[in-house]
């Protein structure tokens, strides 16, 4: 039996990070003292951020740790920045956990971790084996879900992701820490697992949070128990030594599945941290893409602080922060850290975009105002661009008088619509138009005066409760505000079999985690419509607004039907003042034999349609045999820009909007009469979702790309006329396969080379793939396996060959 001395350290949970900081110092000091006292004691620890804390705050202790690592007495596991939630961060965030964690370990200790290590994370998505493997980790240690939550064939198994990557994995028996001084009961329980673990098992011990790790009494207890009364030999060890003793000839079973479920309420509780996380991830990725382009095209220096921004974002992905289960003040800290990250991203992005737009050759034209629209996606996008227009000093030049039209870079008229301004003055207006923008590039549009131009008709027919264009007919029930009909005109199919976008309220007495819950089904009410009306109508879009109420809460949904695009976007504002309740939006898809598919980090998974609460990312989909039309394959994808919890019951899919338990309430902790408690998700929140009805499968509909466009939107920028070497439209990165998503473009960590990361999103081979970089005169050619993630290094020297590297850029 390998006795693994450790101390599970939550940097934030029932305390703020400052207390976690002190806790890490005290625990590491205690572990060093035990190493000095017991010759064969080995301490196991993870989380690069804690080592950075020690390095900066107690450099002498850090040097002591370095010596013990070199001696093999201190085992570095989990080559990530910290132990995050393992469902909710994006695929690229998991890559950055390894990139920055492993490179830190390599720089400071001369080694990288070979064992992935997340004992306390609440579940583990199915693409992790590939991410771990390509980050230098061949092994994985976890504890949750436990056997009563998910049955596995063995404590030890080979965990395989859809691309075929495998990591040898071990589920910790019973618990990862032990508070008592004597370990006899714990050791006896773990010894009972030996037959289910090929005769070798790890037994974790050591006092956890605020306890200081393994104690003198723990070590004395181990020495007295080894080999006694039929117990096995107890060896002070670490996970690296355990895995080294695994015989490759053992008949170790293979598991090809996600490792779920534990604490399903974590996927939806605290909408703020979920939305901040999604925003920070996407702002950083967009900023890196355009900063990389601007560096090569415009000579704009690449920001040096992107890594610091990622570190702050990654810290807030810790499994008790992003899960929403920490105390209330911890989310003030998280808000500030995310603000830091997003400020760095926004600043770097602005420098990049303005450097590019300033170099576009835009001829002078009296009264003309140019607008440059940027697309951060590596495929052409048609999307709404909206921006504030005009200011008092430029009346008559960039203030709309009513005779202006919009032209594209080739002089073609583009429909433009004046919409409600964000400022209530005479000097600022807001315009919207549908921009067609090249792949990861830009296009210039011009607002010019032309009193003779005819007024353009509306893009759709509309009434106060309906909108119909060439693709859809959307009808809202004036009594309820729900979707009464969404008719797909091209397929001849009603997308839904009943009322949709139905906001239901459920009774939710569970604790913050949602412990002991697998699904939420106790509906106690619905939001009732106060008003349904048409608030925008023109050549670009029509918007139906539904304002509804329940109890002391209100819900506003703006149903947006745009010209020439698939899907209907819904902008949502919730003002919530309920307690121990949950809000879901339900959509009964009009299909038989439904199949539910969820996006997971850098992949997707099909799950049962049993109504269980499940984690997801930017999209989920329900497809099956259409109930109308020709009865062929049909479905609806539900896209979002900041929600992570869903359920599918039969053909009805639901998105969990919010939950309102008490902050950091952990059963069996009692709720006492007469005490005041802070409840989560009180007040106003905003997010958007989109409905994408489609013939065929979600792959045919391009759900992954549409969801990316919702999360990384086009960016309009008002410019002026000037000379410049750049054309009025350009593309800098594109791919030749619909299933390929270019997820990250950045400067290499160790030089000026370019890093390009791409993944196959459909679960199908993609031979002959090409990623074009025309501004560099380069083309990346590769064959992708199903769900494969590939990372390429493009040398700054054009004579050097492009090479494929790992996720940690060769560290």
């Amino acid at each position: 039996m390998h006795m693994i001395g450790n101390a599970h350290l939550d940097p934030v949970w029932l305390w703020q990070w400052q207390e976690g900081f002190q806790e890490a110092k005290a625990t590491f000091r205690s572990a060093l003292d035990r190493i000095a006292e017991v010759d064969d004691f080995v301490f196991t620890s993870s989380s690069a951020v804690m080592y950075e804390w020690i390095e900066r705050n107690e450099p002498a202790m850090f040097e002591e740790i370095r010596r013990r690592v070199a001696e093999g007495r201190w085992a570095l596991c989990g080559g990530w920045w910290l132990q995050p939630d393992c469902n909710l961060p994006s695929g690229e965030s998991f890559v950055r956990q390894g990139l920055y964690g492993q490179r830190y370990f390599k720089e400071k200790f001369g080694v990288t971790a070979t064992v992935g290590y997340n004992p306390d994370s609440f579940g583990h998505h199915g693409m992790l084996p590939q991410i771990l493997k390509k980050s230098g980790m061949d092994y994985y240690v976890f504890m949750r879900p436990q056997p009563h939550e998910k049955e596995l064939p063995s404590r030890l198994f080979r965990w395989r992701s859809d691309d075929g990557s495998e990591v040898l994995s071990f589920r910790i028996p019973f618990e990862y820490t032990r508070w008592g001084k004597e370990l006899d009961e714990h050791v006896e329980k773990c010894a009972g697992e030996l037959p289910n673990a090929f005769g070798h098992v790890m037994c974790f011990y050591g006092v956890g949070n605020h306890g200081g790790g393994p104690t003198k009494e723990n070590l004395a207890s181990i020495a007295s128990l080894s080999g006694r009364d039929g117990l096995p030999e107890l060896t002070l060890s670490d996970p690296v030594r355990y895995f080294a003793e695994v015989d490759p000839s053992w008949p170790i079973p293979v598991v090809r599945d996600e490792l779920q479920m534990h604490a399903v309420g974590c996927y939806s509780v605290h909408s703020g941290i979920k939305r901040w996380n999604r925003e920070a991830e996407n702002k950083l990725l967009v900023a890196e893409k355009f900063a990389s382009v601007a560096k090569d095209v415009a000579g704009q220096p690449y920001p040096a602080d992107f890594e610091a921004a990622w570190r702050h974002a990654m810290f807030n992905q810790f499994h008790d922060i992003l899960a929403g289960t920490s105390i209330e003040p911890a989310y003030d800290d998280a808000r500030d850290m995310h603000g830091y990250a997003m400020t760095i991203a926004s600043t770097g992005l602005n420098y990049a975009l303005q450097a590019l737009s300033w170099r576009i050759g835009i001829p002078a034209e009296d009264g003309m105002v140019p607008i440059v629209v940027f697309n951060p996606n590596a495929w052409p996008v048609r999307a709404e661009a909206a921006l504030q227009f005009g200011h008092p000093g430029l009346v008559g030049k960039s203030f709309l008088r009513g005779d202006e039209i919009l032209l594209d870079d080739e002089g073609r008229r583009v429909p433009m619509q004046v919409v409600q301004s964000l400022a209530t003055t005479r000097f600022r207006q807001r315009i919207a138009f549908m921009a067609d923008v090249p792949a990861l590039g830009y296009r210039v549009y011009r607002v010019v005066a032309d009193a003779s131009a005819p007024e353009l008709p509306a893009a759709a027919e509309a009434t106060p409760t309906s909108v119909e264009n060439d693709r859809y007919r959307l009808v809202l029930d004036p009594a309820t505000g729900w979707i009464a009909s969404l008719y797909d005109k091209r397929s001849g199919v009603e997308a839904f079999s009943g009322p949709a976008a139905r906001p239901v309220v459920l009774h939710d007495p569970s604790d913050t985690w949602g412990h002991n819950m697998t699904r939420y089904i106790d509906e106690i009410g619905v939001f009732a419509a106060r008003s349904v009306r048409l608030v925008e109508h023109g050549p670009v879009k029509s918007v139906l607004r539904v304002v509804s109420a329940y109890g002391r809460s209100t819900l506003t949904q703006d149903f947006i039907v745009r010209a020439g695009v698939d899907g209907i976007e819904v902008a949502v504002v919730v003002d919530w003042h309920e307690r121990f309740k949950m809000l879901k939006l339900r959509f009964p898809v009009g299909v038989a034999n439904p199949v539910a598919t969820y996006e997971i980090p850098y992949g997707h998974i099909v799950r049962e349609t049993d109504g269980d609460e499940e984690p997801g990312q930017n999209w989920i989909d329900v497809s099956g045999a259409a109930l109308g039309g020709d009865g062929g394959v049909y479905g609806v994808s539900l896209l979002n820009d900041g929600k992570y919890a869903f359920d599918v019951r039969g053909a009805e899919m639901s998105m969990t909007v919010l939950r309102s338990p008490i902050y950091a309430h952990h059963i069996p902790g009692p709720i006492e009469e007469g005490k005041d408690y802070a409840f989560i998700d009180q007040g106003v929140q905003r997010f958007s979702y989109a409905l994408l009805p489609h013939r065929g499968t979600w792959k045919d509909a391009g759900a992954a790309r549409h969801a990316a466009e919702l999360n990384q939107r086009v960016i309009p920028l008002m410019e002026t006329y000037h000379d410049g070497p750049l054309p009025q439209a350009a593309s800098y990165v594109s791919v030749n396969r619909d299933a390929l998503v270019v997820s990250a473009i950045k400067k290499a960590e160790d030089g000026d080379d370019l890093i390009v990361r791409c993944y196959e999103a459909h679960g199908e081979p993609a031979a002959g793939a090409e990623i074009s970089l025309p501004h560099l005169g380069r083309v990346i050619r590769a064959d992708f396996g199903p769900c494969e993630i590939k990372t390429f290094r493009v040398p700054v020297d054009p004579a050097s060959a492009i090479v494929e590297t790992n996720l940690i850029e060769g560290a």
Side-chain angles (χ1 to χ4, degrees):
M1 184 180 293
H2 293 254
M3 301 300 298
I4 312 298
N6 79 111
H8 179 69
L9 295 174
D10 289 330
V12 176
W13 179 27
L14 307 180
W15 45 85
Q16 293 173 260
W17 69 267
Q18 297 89 342
E19 189 173 337
F21 189 112
Q22 193 282 329
E23 167 195 329
K25 291 199 308 184
T27 298
F28 282 11
R29 180 67 266 160
S30 176
L32 289 167
D33 291 345
R34 302 293 82 73
I35 290 173
E37 295 164 357
V38 180
D39 290 341
D40 55 348
F41 172 66
V42 183
F43 184 65
T44 294
S45 185
S46 69
S47 302
V49 63
M50 296 185 188
Y51 294 90
E52 185 185 58
W53 287 349
I54 304 298
E55 179 189 16
R56 293 186 176 186
N57 194 242
E58 291 296 332
M61 189 193 304
F62 185 76
E63 289 303 316
E64 193 175 349
I65 293 171
R66 289 180 63 177
R67 291 195 300 272
R68 295 307 191 183
V69 170
E71 294 169 0
R73 304 288 306 282
W74 187 295
L76 297 174
C77 286
W80 286 359
W81 196 241
L82 80 180
Q83 295 181 31
D85 181 280
C86 288
N87 279 309
L88 305 185
S90 69
E92 187 59 25
S93 286
F94 284 104
V95 171
R96 299 307 173 97
Q97 289 281 349
L99 176 68
Y100 298 125
Q102 290 282 52
R103 294 187 74 88
Y104 180 86
F105 284 159
K106 183 70 172 180
E107 177 187 351
K108 304 300 181 180
F109 300 102
V111 297
T112 54
T114 60
V115 178
Y117 190 83
N118 289 298
D120 199 33
S121 298
F122 305 146
H124 312 261
H125 71 83
M127 289 302 293
L128 267 182
Q130 181 178 188
I131 294 172
L132 291 163
K133 195 80 170 180
K134 291 185 176 180
S135 301
M137 288 172 275
D138 296 322
Y139 312 103
Y140 194 54
V141 173
F142 70 101
M143 188 181 75
R144 309 182 196 279
Q146 293 181 307
H148 69 282
E149 296 164 321
K150 183 175 182 65
E151 184 177 349
L152 292 171
S154 170
R155 286 282 174 195
L156 181 68
F157 60 95
R158 301 189 189 280
W159 189 23
R160 181 182 299 168
S161 53
D162 286 348
D163 70 302
S165 298
E166 283 186 359
V167 287
L168 190 59
S169 301
F170 180 87
R171 178 160 65 182
I172 298 171
F174 305 110
E175 53 194 313
Y176 47 71
T177 55
R178 188 65 178 173
W179 293 89
K181 298 178 181 180
E182 301 297 327
L183 300 179
D184 49 348
E185 180 182 345
H186 181 49
V187 167
E188 288 173 3
K189 287 197 301 182
C190 290
E193 296 295 311
L194 284 167
N196 194 34
F198 301 94
H200 293 258
V201 74
M202 284 191 278
C203 179
F204 283 66
Y205 70 97
V207 180
N209 287 317
H210 289 73
T215 64
K216 295 179 180 180
E217 292 88 350
N218 288 163
L219 293 167
S221 180
I222 292 170
S224 68
L225 288 170
S226 184
R228 193 189 73 184
D229 299 329
L231 290 176
E233 178 188 354
L234 308 185
T235 302
L236 300 181
S237 186
D238 63 74
V240 177
R241 299 181 194 189
Y242 165 78
F243 285 115
E245 291 194 10
V246 172
D247 188 332
S249 68
W250 292 348
I252 300 171
V254 173
V255 173
R256 184 175 175 175
D257 193 8
E258 58 186 349
L259 305 178
Q260 310 286 16
M261 297 290 179
H262 176 83
V264 298
C266 294
Y267 312 141
S268 53
V269 74
H270 204 294
S271 297
I273 191 66
K274 269 67 169 181
R275 185 68 188 274
W276 302 334
N277 177 71
R278 184 78 65 86
E279 283 188 281
E281 290 173 332
N282 283 294
K283 283 188 176 183
L284 281 165
L285 291 172
V286 171
E288 288 177 339
K289 291 176 186 178
F290 280 113
S292 300
V293 171
K295 168 181 167 291
D296 293 321
V297 173
Q300 175 68 34
Y302 190 89
D305 49 3
F306 280 163
E307 181 178 348
W310 272 109
R311 289 184 176 192
H312 279 71
M314 291 187 303
F315 185 84
N316 285 315
Q317 292 169 347
F318 180 70
H319 58 263
D320 274 315
I321 302 176
L322 185 52
T325 53
S326 293
I327 58 172
E328 186 175 16
Y331 292 99
D332 295 333
D333 297 333
R335 175 203 61 210
D336 295 345
M337 287 188 191
H338 273 308
Y340 174 93
M342 287 191 269
T343 297
I344 289 175
S346 297
T347 302
L349 176 62
N350 182 64
Y351 277 120
L353 297 186
Q354 300 245 15
L356 291 168
S357 66
W358 193 254
R359 285 163 177 78
I360 300 171
I362 304 176
E365 184 178 346
D366 187 42
M368 179 270 293
V369 178
I371 299 169
V372 186
V373 183
F374 292 89
N375 170 24
N377 301 286
W379 54 86
V381 166
R382 177 173 174 80
E384 179 186 335
L387 74 161
Q388 293 293 104
F389 197 89
H391 60 83
L394 292 176
V395 173
K397 181 178 181 183
S398 62
F399 178 78
L400 297 175
R401 298 168 302 191
D403 62 351
E404 293 86 359
I405 63 171
L406 183 70
L407 303 176
D408 69 10
D409 57 311
E410 297 183 3
R412 295 169 298 200
R413 187 176 182 184
V414 176
M416 179 178 70
Q417 184 172 335
V418 178
V419 297
Q420 183 172 342
S421 174
L422 302 180
T424 308
T425 73
R426 294 187 302 111
F427 310 117
R428 288 290 268 182
Q429 292 168 292
R430 189 167 180 82
I431 63 171
F433 59 95
M434 298 305 297
D436 290 286
V437 195
L440 214 159
Y442 65 83
R443 188 181 301 278
V444 176
Y445 293 83
R446 296 175 294 136
V447 178
V448 299
D450 187 348
S452 65
E455 184 175 346
L456 294 175
E461 298 178 4
T463 74
T465 59
S466 68
V467 176
E468 181 174 354
N469 63 9
D470 62 329
R471 304 186 185 202
Y472 309 108
R473 182 174 67 244
L474 172 68
V475 180
L476 303 183
D477 185 326
T480 64
W482 308 337
I483 295 176
S485 172
L486 178 54
Y487 184 69
D488 185 336
K489 297 168 69 173
R490 289 177 297 181
S491 300
V493 171
E494 278 286 352
F496 299 118
S497 62
R502 184 168 64 95
V504 301
V505 180
L506 298 94
H507 180 51
D508 175 18
S510 63
D511 69 6
T512 315
W513 284 255
H515 281 128
N516 301 324
M517 302 293 292
T518 58
R519 64 188 65 172
Y520 296 92
I521 56 176
D522 188 7
E523 291 189 18
I524 58 173
V526 294
F527 275 74
R530 286 181 175 173
S531 64
V532 180
R533 60 194 178 102
L534 183 70
V535 295
E536 303 276 6
H537 185 52
V540 175
K541 63 179 179 179
S542 298
V543 181
L544 293 171
R545 176 169 296 163
V546 178
V547 179
S548 55
Y550 172 89
R552 298 188 300 126
S553 303
T554 58
L555 171 69
T556 301
Q557 296 194 79
D558 281 359
F559 293 84
I560 307 167
V561 180
R562 298 188 175 97
V565 296
D566 290 330
I568 294 170
E569 184 176 343
V570 187
V572 183
V573 181
V574 185
D575 188 4
W576 183 257
H577 298 279
E578 313 304 320
R579 298 177 173 183
F580 298 120
K581 295 181 177 68
M582 168 185 280
L583 172 60
K584 283 180 175 282
L585 288 168
R586 298 208 187 277
F587 306 87
V589 182
V591 298
N593 304 316
V595 175
T597 308
Y598 298 70
E599 185 186 44
I600 62 175
Y602 275 156
H604 60 272
I605 191 167
V606 174
R607 296 187 176 123
E608 296 293 328
T609 59
D610 56 7
D612 280 359
E613 195 81 353
E614 306 275 8
Q617 296 262 316
N618 298 328
W619 60 269
I620 70 168
D621 180 87
V622 171
S623 295
L627 298 180
D630 60 7
V633 176
Y634 193 81
V636 178
S637 297
L638 174 62
L639 324 175
N640 76 89
D641 69 355
K643 297 299 174 184
Y644 295 91
F646 310 89
D647 74 80
V648 178
R649 181 173 51 188
E652 183 177 62
M653 61 180 174
S654 301
M655 175 171 60
T656 305
V657 175
L658 53 81
R659 297 179 59 229
S660 50
I662 295 171
Y663 274 95
H665 173 218
H666 193 303
I667 58 170
I671 300 171
E672 299 179 20
E673 291 289 338
K675 286 191 174 181
D676 292 327
Y677 294 98
F679 287 80
I680 300 177
D681 270 354
Q682 304 296 294
V684 176
Q685 62 168 280
R686 293 175 171 85
F687 69 98
S688 292
Y689 68 90
L691 300 168
L692 182 64
H694 56 82
R695 179 185 290 276
T697 69
W698 62 267
K699 301 174 187 179
D700 302 319
R705 284 190 168 186
H706 283 288
E709 293 166 20
L710 184 68
N711 283 271
Q712 296 186 13
R713 297 176 185 257
V714 297
I715 307 163
L717 176 68
M718 191 180 296
E719 253 297 349
T720 187
Y721 55 81
H722 38 60
D723 293 332
L726 299 182
Q728 297 214 344
S731 171
Y732 296 109
V733 183
S734 62
V735 293
N736 70 339
R737 293 287 185 274
D738 291 344
L740 294 186
V741 176
V742 176
S743 53
I745 302 170
K746 60 183 285 292
K747 190 176 80 69
E749 296 298 314
D750 56 359
D752 288 331
D753 293 349
L754 186 70
I755 298 295
V756 178
R757 189 153 24 257
C758 189
Y759 72 99
E760 195 285 318
H762 289 177
E764 300 168 349
E770 293 185 355
I771 305 168
S772 298
L773 311 169
H775 63 296
L776 301 178
R778 296 277 206 158
V779 177
I780 301 170
R781 295 181 173 87
D783 295 332
F784 283 74
C787 297
E788 186 174 12
I789 310 163
K790 284 184 178 287
T791 304
F792 303 96
R793 179 185 286 265
V794 183
V796 68
D797 178 2
S800 297
I802 297 170
V803 296
E804 184 177 352
T805 185
N806 58 16
L807 297 178
I808 56 176
E809 299 177 22

